[in-house]
Amino acid sequence: MTQENILSIKNLEITNKKTGEILLNNINLDLEKGKILGLIGQSGSGKTILAQSLIKWINPPLEVTSGSILYKGKDILKLNNKELSQIVGKEISFIGNNPVGSFDPTLPVGLQILEKLLSVNPNISKNDGKEIIKKTFETVKFPASRKIFEEFPFQFSGGMMQRAIIVDSLISNPKIMIADNITQSLDVTIAAQIMRLLDNLQAEYNTSIIFISSLLGTVSKIADKISIMDAGKIIEKTNMKDLLNNPKENYTKNLLKEVPKIWQENPEIDNAKIKNDNILEVNNVSKIYKVSEKKFFSYKNIQAVKDVSFKLKRFENFGIIGESGCGKSTLSRLLSNLEDPDTGTISFNGRKISGLQNKQILDIRKKFQLLLQDPYGCIPNHKNIFNIISEPLVIHGEKNKQLIKDKVKRVLNEVGLSDDITYSLPSGLSAGQRQRINIARALILEPELLILDETLSSLDQVEQAKLLKLFQDLQNRYEITYVFISHDLTMVRKVCNRIAVMYLGRIVELAENDILYNKCQHPYTRTLLSSIPTLDKNPYDQSKYLMEGEPPDPSDVPKGCSFSSRCPFPTNDCKHGNIEMGLIEVSSGHWVDKCCVNCG
C-alpha cells in the first residue's frame, strides 16, 4: 500500500544571486503522512537552507530559481504573505536550534505562547487558552513546579526552553513539524528526553516530522526514513536498516565511520605517554555564590562546586562530564584561575594559583589556557585575525614585531589554516575555522595545560573529528596536558585517559576510561551512558536509567544523597541522609560516592 505524502519537494534549486553559487541543487523529497523523515549532513551541506525554504524563509541574495514545494496541492513558494500566514505557524511549525532566540526576553514564556494560541484560534478565551497550554506543558513533561506564565526565558534551562518551543509549535496542532538540529547543544540526558518526547508526540498527534541533524546516531533513534545531504544535493535516500547494511555512496560510508562506536570498539587511548608527576592538583575545592532573591536584603546560596579533589598527571587527557548545572563550567573557571575557590587549594606545577598578585597571575597564566564553547562569541568580529592571535603576546609584553609575525604564521599553520587569512576579519569563517583561530590564540603562548570547556560541542562530528586529531598532534609535538570538560560522552570516550562524573557540584565517580564506560557503579553515570546516541548496542537500558527532568535547583539540594530525587533506585537512607556522602576507592583508581556504590 502506497503511503500518502503530506509534503513533496520537486526539483528545488536555490541560488545565491550575488555569487552565482547553487546552494540547493535539484532537491526531490517526500514526507509521508504521520512519519518521521531524518535529514542528515555535515555543516554546510544545505540542511538549514532546505528547512527554511519549506516555510518560504528565503531572503536575498538567496533566490529560488526552480522547483516547487507542494502541501495539500498548493505550492508554498507561490503563496503570498496572507496565504502563507494561514499555513506557517499553524499547520507547519518550525523549531530552530536556538530556542532562547525564539522568545522575546522581555515577556514571560507562557504569555508569549498564549498570544500565539489566541491569534491562531481567536474564539478561545484567555482562561481556556491557559488551560490548553498548561495541559500541553504537562504532555511534554514540563515540571509542575515551574510557573510558566510568570517566568521569563532567562529563567529556563536549555532543556526547558526546548520543551517550551515544542509546546509553542504544538499549540496550533500542526500537521508538519520541522525540527532543525534541536538536540546538538543539549546534554545527552536532555537530548534523549527530547527525542523520546518527539517520538511519543508523533504517535499521539500523528504529526509528520522532518528531523534535521548532523548526528547520525541521534537520527537513527527516531526516523522512519533517512535522506543524506552533501554539497546541496540529496545523495542517498533509504531506511535505517539499509543504511547500516548497504550504504551506496562513499560520503555515506564515511559518515557511518565517523559515528562513534562506544562499546563495539575500544578507543585507542595512549596511557604510556603519561608522566608520573602531577601538573595540576585540586584539593577539597568548593565555591558558593550568593544570589539575591525578590525579598529585600535576602540571599540564597548556590553551591556550584563542593569538595572536589583530583590530581592530573602530565600529558594526561582528563575528562569532566555531567549535565548543565552540575558545576563543570564553574570548576573550569577555578582551574584557569579566573576565580578563586572559597575553600580548598589548586596547585599548578606545585605552585598554589589562588591568592596571587597581578604580576604573579600574569606569569603563571602563560602556561595554562582556557578554550570556551562558542566559536562566535569568543572571537571579536571587529579585529583582524592577526590582532586576535597576537594579542596574548602583546599582553605578556612581547615587543619584537617580526617575532610576533613569525609566531602568528606558525600557529596558524599548526592549526591547519592558511596564513593568507592573517589580515582578514573572521566574519566569513565557519564555526570550525573560528575554533581553530581560538586554538591558535591559546597556542601562541606555548601552554603546558589546555582546559577545553565544551570547546567542540557546537561542531558537527566531521569537524569535531578533525579538531580531535589536531589536539592529538599538538600534544605529541608539544607535550600538552588536556582537561576536556563536556557533556559529549562520545567525544570524551575517544580521547580521555581518566574521567570524572559531576553532579550538583560534586564528583560522584572517577575512573579510567574503560572502567567508567563498562563497569561504572553510580546510577547517575549509568543514566548518562544510557543516553548516548550511538549505533552499537548500549549495555545500559534507557528505559531503566533515563529519568525525566533536570537536576534540582542547586540552592535547594535534597536532603541526604543529592541524586536521590532522580535516582531510579532510591532507598530511605538515601532520601533521609542516613548515609555519609564522599568518594571511596572500590578498586585501583576507581572512586565512587560511598552512598551509591553498587546502587541499581
Side-chain angles (χ1 to χ4, degrees), residues 307 309 498-503 506-512 515-526 540 561-563 567 579-600:
D307 296 330
S309 297
R498 285 188 304 145
I499 301 158
V501 182
M502 287 191 74
Y503 186 76
R506 301 175 64 252
I507 290 180
V508 296
E509 189 158 10
L510 171 61
E512 291 185 0
I515 295 296
L516 191 89
Y517 280 80
N518 290 290
K519 298 178 182 179
C520 63
Q521 294 195 24
H522 198 286
Y524 179 61
T525 308
R526 295 176 182 179
Y540 302 100
C561 175
S562 59
F563 189 59
C567 181
I579 298 178
E580 183 183 357
M581 298 186 69
L583 294 178
I584 60 170
E585 192 171 23
V586 295
S587 62
S588 179
H590 185 188
W591 298 79
V592 185
D593 195 320
K594 65 181 69 174
C595 176
C596 299
V597 172
N598 295 317
C599 186

Side-chain angles (χ1 to χ4, degrees), residues 159-228:
M160 290 298 99
M161 284 304 302
Q162 202 61 273
R163 280 176 164 78
I165 199 65
I166 290 173
V167 169
D168 186 64
S169 299
L170 284 175
I171 206 69
S172 61
N173 194 20
K175 307 300 181 187
I176 297 173
M177 181 184 291
I178 303 164
D180 183 15
N181 222 16
I182 65 173
T183 61
Q184 182 163 327
S185 61
L186 299 176
D187 301 327
V188 287
T189 51
I190 305 304
Q193 292 176 39
I194 295 296
M195 296 296 291
R196 185 163 68 184
L197 170 62
L198 286 179
D199 207 17
N200 292 339
L201 291 174
Q202 186 275 327
E204 182 175 348
Y205 292 94
N206 200 34
T207 305
S208 305
I209 298 175
I210 299 178
F211 189 88
I212 301 168
S213 179
S214 59
L215 304 175
L216 185 55
T218 299
V219 176
S220 68
K221 305 301 181 186
I222 193 172
D224 298 298
K225 291 186 177 181
I226 291 179
S227 293
I228 309 293

Side-chain angles (χ1 to χ4, degrees), residues 369-371 442-443 447-452 471 480-483:
Q369 293 289 305
L370 173 65
L371 296 177
L443 284 177
E448 297 177 23
L449 173 67
L450 279 180
I451 302 166
L452 312 174
F471 285 135
I480 299 172
T481 305
Y482 293 116
V483 176

Side-chain angles (χ1 to χ4, degrees), residues 344-599:
T345 61
I346 300 173
S347 299
F348 175 72
N349 280 334
R351 182 181 181 186
K352 183 180 174 182
I353 65 173
S354 58
L356 299 177
Q357 300 300 315
N358 290 342
K359 179 65 168 61
Q360 296 171 313
I361 293 173
L362 195 63
D363 288 341
I364 203 168
R365 275 193 183 150
K366 290 179 70 173
K367 295 304 180 182
F368 56 81
Q369 293 289 305
L370 173 65
L371 296 177
L372 298 175
Q373 173 180 358
D374 182 7
Y376 292 92
C378 292
I379 296 176
N381 284 321
H382 65 284
K383 290 186 177 182
N384 66 39
I385 290 166
F386 176 84
N387 288 334
I388 292 170
I389 296 176
S390 64
E391 185 177 34
L393 287 175
V394 176
I395 289 173
H396 284 273
E398 183 58 63
K399 296 180 181 179
N400 187 321
K401 292 184 178 180
Q402 187 58 49
L403 179 64
I404 292 174
K405 283 184 179 180
D406 292 343
K407 284 195 172 185
V408 169
K409 181 178 179 179
R410 175 176 60 82
V411 295
L412 274 173
N413 292 332
E414 284 175 343
V415 300
L417 293 174
S418 169
D419 50 25
D420 292 341
I421 67 171
T422 302
Y423 295 100
S424 304
L425 294 174
S427 55
L429 300 181
S430 68
Q433 289 171 319
R434 284 170 174 264
Q435 206 57 287
R436 288 173 188 267
I437 296 294
N438 201 19
I439 296 166
R441 179 172 56 181
L443 284 177
I444 204 162
L445 290 175
E446 301 177 3
E448 297 177 23
L449 173 67
L450 279 180
I451 302 166
L452 312 174
D453 188 1
E454 302 284 10
T455 305
L456 305 180
S457 64
S458 62
L459 305 178
D460 63 54
Q461 284 179 324
V462 174
E463 189 62 35
Q464 189 183 91
K466 292 177 183 177
L467 286 181
L468 288 177
K469 175 69 166 56
L470 171 63
F471 285 135
Q472 182 179 346
D473 292 343
L474 292 172
Q475 184 172 56
N476 293 336
R477 199 179 311 162
Y478 297 109
E479 298 185 329
I480 299 172
T481 305
Y482 293 116
V483 176
F484 288 90
I485 298 174
S486 182
H487 64 252
D488 186 346
L489 278 71
T490 58
M491 183 272 290
V492 170
R493 171 66 161 158
K494 288 180 184 178
V495 298
C496 291
N497 305 94
R498 285 188 304 145
I499 301 158
V501 182
M502 287 191 74
Y503 186 76
L504 283 179
R506 301 175 64 252
I507 290 180
V508 296
E509 189 158 10
L510 171 61
E512 291 185 0
N513 187 312
D514 188 61
I515 295 296
L516 191 89
Y517 280 80
N518 290 290
K519 298 178 182 179
C520 63
Q521 294 195 24
H522 198 286
Y524 179 61
T525 308
R526 295 176 182 179
T527 293
L528 292 177
L529 296 178
S530 75
S531 308
I532 299 177
T534 179
L535 297 179
D536 57 349
K537 183 174 175 56
N538 193 323
Y540 302 100
D541 186 356
Q542 195 172 103
S543 65
K544 182 178 181 181
Y545 290 105
L546 181 64
M547 61 275 176
E548 292 294 342
E550 301 184 348
D553 186 337
S555 67
D556 187 24
V557 178
K559 292 181 180 179
C561 175
S562 59
F563 189 59
S564 63
S565 63
R566 301 174 79 202
C567 181
F569 320 101
T571 66
N572 286 330
D573 287 337
C574 293
K575 292 179 179 179
H576 298 102
N578 297 327
I579 298 178
E580 183 183 357
M581 298 186 69
L583 294 178
I584 60 170
E585 192 171 23
V586 295
S587 62
S588 179
H590 185 188
W591 298 79
V592 185
D593 195 320
K594 65 181 69 174
C595 176
C596 299
V597 172
N598 295 317
C599 186

Side-chain angles (χ1 to χ4, degrees), residues 51-64:
Q52 292 172 347
S53 71
L54 302 181
I55 55 175
K56 203 179 177 182
W57 196 8
I58 298 296
N59 299 311
L62 304 189
E63 183 178 303
V64 177

